[in-house]
Amino acid sequence: MDELVSALAHNTVPALSRSALRFGLWQPTVADNAAPDGFRQLVREALRRDDPPSARALWAAYLRTFTADSFPTQELAGAVDALLPRLSPRIAGPIHAYDLHRPQLALMRVSDALADPSGAGLGPLRAMRPSVLRSRLGACAAAGTIEALAGRTDLIEHVLGQMRDGDGRFTAPLTEYLYPALVRPYFDRPPNEGAKQRVIEWIRSAYGDPRLPTTSRPMLAEAHLSDRCVNTVRRWLAIETLHLFIEVINKTAIPQWEHRRDFWLPYFEANFVTDVHVVFGSKAREFADSIRQRTNQHMRWADLSGADTDQSVLLMHIGSLIVAEWSHDGTLRFWPQGDHAAPDLKQQKFSGAELRDGSMMVRNEYGRAVDGIRHDSYPLWCERARRVIAEHTGLMP
């Protein structure tokens, strides 16, 4: 890097070593920060040298930095075209055949090859070195194909199968584009259940479970979409957790949850529930495990002790409140976020006392201060709960 910066600063670019020239072509921002028009100077130098190493450096930089409409990609595309005769036939042939040195055409041609279930057109692309399918060009083409195939999970799996490394992991360039490609079609309307489960599986494989604190924020090419993508998947998982909770309760308690489901579902659908965790007693946990085996394996919950074995608790983070909805005849309880007594939704084990003690005082129907809301007076309990949440969070679904 020092050699590159010095050459650009002192106008000695022709003296650059091959490795320094290659590094500069791979780092357009570094080059332009070192000197005005620095990147264009490096491209011109590669063209001046007009030799195979320079042609290979241009081609590698084009694949590495590809963004179809960007200035560096357009500059590199023109230079690759000019030095195409300096590349080996194994590289130059597919570049010409697939129009890989014409950015927009390249995206369409690679996308068509990826979408073809027969895989007939992928052989030359796989054989190229550097690999087109492992590059940003391949990632952009795959992402566009995947987004266009929204809902057609078998075809999407075919495309993704071409974009894995030898260990079965998605290539690093693809992870910059995959999250929006999978989720953006469903920002406003969720997919059917089968498609949703496949998308969640792919997201967890590429980025980790968005519910876990150890899962980092995805680094996406469209950085402004990171939060919306993650929040969309978290909302799906939160609603799934609510349905799991309700199904377990219907197995372990007298059917009583229609009103509670109808009350909470709008909060989940409005994305007001920013985190959710279910806690099951031992008997309830048995039912939950049977549901997980029957439906999907990524459901998770915590264990409850110090309560009846068939009792369960739905823990929710809504605005500035932590909320515990107990099953059976349990009480709906609230804690201010950050209160020392508030349950930690990341725990894997809870005692009943942890989910009862220190809860916030609220007013009952008689105006008396009590430590929670009982569910024995529908729809009055709904009105009181809605008022408590609105007063402390400002959220009204």
Side-chain angles (χ1 to χ4, degrees), residues 273-295:
V273 181
T274 55
D275 203 358
V276 61
H277 203 19
V278 285
V279 189
F280 292 134
S282 58
K283 183 178 178 181
R285 192 163 60 247
E286 292 177 9
F287 283 106
D289 195 51
S290 68
I291 294 168
R292 176 164 61 183
Q293 293 179 26
R294 188 179 74 244
T295 55

Side-chain angles (χ1 to χ4, degrees), residues 77-383:
V80 168
D81 189 29
L83 294 192
L84 203 58
R86 299 291 179 260
L87 292 169
S88 69
R90 183 172 59 86
I91 299 175
I95 290 176
H96 179 74
Y98 288 84
D99 292 306
L100 298 180
H101 53 324
R102 290 168 170 70
Q104 292 296 342
L105 274 176
L107 286 175
M108 290 189 286
R109 300 296 298 277
V110 175
S111 179
D112 288 344
L114 285 167
D116 181 359
S118 73
L122 289 174
L125 298 178
R126 287 200 193 99
M128 294 180 76
R129 295 292 181 271
S131 170
V132 171
L133 298 184
R134 303 289 182 265
S135 71
R136 287 176 64 93
L137 166 56
C140 290
T145 307
I146 289 165
E147 189 163 347
L149 292 172
R152 303 175 68 182
T153 55
D154 289 346
L155 290 178
I156 292 174
E157 181 56 52
H158 167 76
V159 174
L160 290 174
Q162 317 305 318
M163 305 301 293
R164 299 179 190 269
D165 61 22
D167 296 323
R169 296 171 300 197
F170 295 125
T171 62
L174 181 64
T175 60
E176 296 183 38
Y177 299 92
L178 183 59
Y179 219 133
L182 290 170
V183 177
R184 181 161 32 202
Y186 309 115
F187 277 167
D188 300 316
R189 181 171 56 87
N192 64 54
E193 189 62 24
K196 183 176 74 174
Q197 293 304 328
R198 295 297 296 277
V199 170
I200 289 172
E201 289 172 12
W202 291 321
I203 293 297
R204 291 175 70 245
S205 175
Y207 305 97
D209 192 324
R211 297 169 295 186
L212 300 179
T214 54
T215 300
S216 58
R217 186 173 184 269
M219 303 298 292
L220 305 181
E222 296 178 274
H224 65 285
L225 290 178
S226 292
D227 288 342
R228 190 169 185 189
C229 286
V230 171
N231 288 340
T232 298
V233 177
R234 283 174 64 89
R235 182 169 65 251
W236 295 349
L237 292 167
I239 293 173
E240 180 179 274
T241 300
L242 174 64
H243 290 320
L244 167 67
F245 186 67
I246 291 169
E247 186 169 354
V248 170
I249 297 309
N250 285 336
K251 295 285 188 181
T252 58
I254 297 172
Q256 55 169 309
W257 271 83
E258 290 79 6
H259 296 318
R260 298 198 213 182
R261 178 196 59 209
D262 293 345
F263 176 79
W264 289 115
L265 188 56
Y267 286 91
F268 281 80
E269 291 176 334
N271 209 28
F272 293 160
V273 181
T274 55
D275 203 358
V276 61
H277 203 19
V278 285
V279 189
F280 292 134
S282 58
K283 183 178 178 181
R285 192 163 60 247
E286 292 177 9
F287 283 106
D289 195 51
S290 68
I291 294 168
R292 176 164 61 183
Q293 293 179 26
R294 188 179 74 244
T295 55
N296 62 76
Q297 297 296 311
H298 65 258
M299 291 178 174
R300 67 185 187 96
W301 53 76
D303 297 337
L304 176 63
S305 60
D308 291 343
T309 59
D310 56 357
Q311 278 198 296
S312 307
V313 184
L314 180 67
L315 291 175
M316 296 166 282
H317 189 174
I318 302 176
S320 57
L321 288 178
I322 303 299
V323 182
E325 175 70 289
W326 279 79
S327 70
H328 295 70
D329 294 326
T331 299
L332 172 59
R333 300 175 182 275
F334 307 87
W335 292 262
Q337 178 185 352
D339 188 285
H340 73 279
D344 179 1
L345 271 65
K346 306 306 179 186
Q347 289 180 213
Q348 293 306 303
K349 295 182 179 180
F350 292 89
S351 68
E354 288 179 275
L355 303 180
R356 296 189 188 98
D357 295 349
S359 60
M360 190 172 72
M361 303 301 286
V362 297
R363 297 289 177 182
N364 67 9
E365 62 268 37
Y366 305 108
R368 290 196 295 266
V370 293
D371 63 354
I373 296 173
R374 299 188 66 83
H375 303 86
D376 51 6
S377 56
Y378 177 83
L380 293 179
W381 74 261
C382 297
E383 295 172 8

